[in-house]
Amino acid sequence: EKGGYAHFMLKEIHEQPTAIKTTITPRIVDGMPNLEECGLTYDRLKGYNNIFVVACGTAMHAGLVGKYVLEKIGRIPVTVDMASEFRYRDPIIAKGDLVILVSQSGETADTLAALRMAKERGAETLSIVNVKGSSIARESDMVLYTHAGPEISVASTKAYIVQLSVFYLLSFAIAYAHGAISKEECMRLTAELQNVPNMLEVVLKTPDNCQYVASQLVNKENLLYIGRGLDYALSMEGSLKLKEISYIHSESYAAGELKHGTISLVTNNMPVIAVATQRELLDKTISNVKEVKARGAYVVLVTHGYINVDDEVADYKIGLPTIDDLLMPMLTVVPLQLIAYYTSVLRGNDVDKPRNLAKSVTVE
Ligand code: M6R
């Protein structure tokens, strides 16, 4: 049942290229995103001027990437909330707003309650859900299913990447519908997204660099992930994955915020995983990396393969293939998943069933 893999998590990490293809291919027609299956015509997409994304855990992290992409190219304000906060903060949502619920299981109690509240307040609701016929899928006005197939490992991997792929299609479509990008640009970005599965196959062929990093983390009790912009959103997912299955404490920090307190945690040989794929922010992130390095941190830099870094900047580099920076999270997440996976294996943990956690959180 694990298809020759040692754990479901590793199997599911390897299923990601296929899961993306299955999720996006039927939704691309003549090179353009097409979401009409759930009623999201370009006309309808044009009408949304305010978007909320509500979810928990990994699904919420997918929403953070979605926000960044939607705002960057669509120029539409997007608010991301954890469902357990959204429900109780009396959010200002009104008729005409779009509330997007993201959930692998479609049964997460807080996300379901947030959906019901959004409907009561007259918003339109769209869910991005993996499990067919689940409560969230049934109760939302529109559904865009992710086609990851069953995800068994408690630590979510392929569900996250397909949630991202749906956010990309939705963002390209909304940006085009609002006239924020041209048809050519929309087609170019869509074609880039279609390239992701093949590029991921390449990334998945060389896990040894992640195994090496795991061997450096295995005996640590604390580490930091840092990044800016999309890399920050992504590093939150990397940090959650590591915490969840390796039980090593880690925090994800916006690189520019370090010097406002967190850098005092950095001591000799503390690992810092710096994610720096956004080239317009590269110099800024590198200067933060130098700051932690100067305080003795052991720095792993995750960036484009062609970017050269000298020893004063990083102790180890994980190089990724290059696509449009906007789409880099689709590639970058994989080494972060693998680092978490191998660290958990090396620590002898129950990778697929981490302590205290359930796959589907149906209680509040
Ligand atoms: O089924 P859902 O996507 O609604 O679940 C949300 C979270 O409970 C889930 O993503 C959790 O954070 C994962 N265990 C993370 O790997």
Side-chain angles (χ1 to χ4, degrees), residues 16-286:
Q16 293 182 114
T18 307
I20 298 165
K21 270 189 226 158
T22 319
T23 299
I24 65 170
T25 308
R27 294 170 173 143
I28 299 171
V29 177
D30 297 331
M32 287 288 282
N34 185 316
L35 307 173
E36 285 176 17
E37 62 181 88
C38 69
L40 282 176
T41 58
Y42 280 96
D43 232 23
R44 188 149 179 190
L45 289 169
K46 204 157 88 187
Y48 300 125
N49 292 312
N50 213 4
I51 295 178
F52 293 85
V53 182
V54 186
C56 301
T58 286
M60 192 273 293
H61 291 156
L64 290 173
V65 171
K67 168 191 165 79
Y68 195 95
V69 175
L70 248 166
E71 291 192 337
K72 178 130 183 146
I73 61 166
R75 312 311 300 157
I76 296 169
V78 181
T79 309
V80 182
D81 276 271
M82 300 166 198
S84 56
E85 288 295 311
F86 183 80
R87 291 178 64 183
Y88 304 113
R89 76 167 170 85
D90 199 6
I92 306 168
I93 37 175
K95 220 170 172 329
D97 291 346
L98 177 66
V99 178
I100 305 176
L101 297 306
V102 192
S103 177
Q104 187 287 127
S105 63
E107 301 295 346
T108 300
D110 281 316
T111 312
L112 181 59
L115 161 68
R116 289 176 179 159
M117 192 181 83
K119 282 180 81 174
E120 249 168 51
R121 294 187 180 202
E124 282 187 44
T125 55
L126 163 68
S127 62
I128 300 175
V129 172
N130 197 47
V131 176
K132 311 273 163 324
S134 54
S135 305
I136 294 171
R138 275 187 282 114
E139 292 191 29
S140 52
D141 300 317
M142 300 170 279
V143 193
L144 286 171
Y145 280 112
T146 49
H147 300 298
E151 192 181 60
I152 310 292
S153 159
V154 167
S156 182
T157 54
K158 62 177 180 171
Y160 172 82
I161 214 159
V162 290
Q163 285 158 0
L164 290 192
S165 72
V166 170
F167 268 116
Y168 280 108
L169 283 181
L170 187 65
S171 305
F172 303 160
I174 291 184
Y176 175 63
H178 280 249
I181 58 170
S182 66
K183 187 166 186 186
E184 291 66 43
E185 178 64 355
C186 190
M187 290 176 84
R188 184 190 71 79
L189 288 166
T190 306
E192 278 283 78
L193 180 65
Q194 285 178 293
N195 281 333
V196 167
N198 287 340
M199 300 180 98
L200 276 186
E201 298 285 4
V202 177
V203 176
L204 287 166
K205 277 202 182 98
T206 50
D208 35 312
N209 49 8
C210 299
Q211 279 164 325
Y212 174 76
V213 172
S215 74
Q216 301 297 299
L217 304 186
V218 64
N219 293 318
K220 305 288 180 183
E221 287 311 325
N222 280 295
L223 67 110
L224 285 176
Y225 286 80
I226 61 170
R228 286 173 181 257
L230 273 173
D231 291 325
Y232 172 46
L234 190 79
S235 68
M236 287 191 200
E237 176 55 12
S239 173
L240 174 65
K241 216 88 302 174
L242 187 85
K243 274 185 277 212
E244 187 174 16
I245 59 172
S246 77
Y247 316 146
I248 298 174
H249 172 248
S250 77
E251 267 191 79
S252 157
Y253 242 78
E257 186 68 7
L258 276 178
K259 55 170 79 64
H260 300 285
T262 308
I263 201 165
S264 67
L265 285 173
V266 177
T267 49
N268 225 13
N269 289 324
M270 179 180 186
V272 174
I273 301 184
V275 185
T277 68
Q278 300 300 301
R279 282 168 285 189
E280 54 177 51
L281 297 168
L282 189 67
D283 292 348
K284 298 278 178 201
T285 306
I286 294 292

Side-chain angles (χ1 to χ4, degrees), residues 293-311:
K293 189 89 178 76
R295 283 151 186 92
Y298 172 81
V299 176
V300 176
L301 186 69
V302 183
T303 187
H304 296 260
Y306 76 87
I307 292 175
N308 290 320
V309 259
D310 50 34
D311 299 347

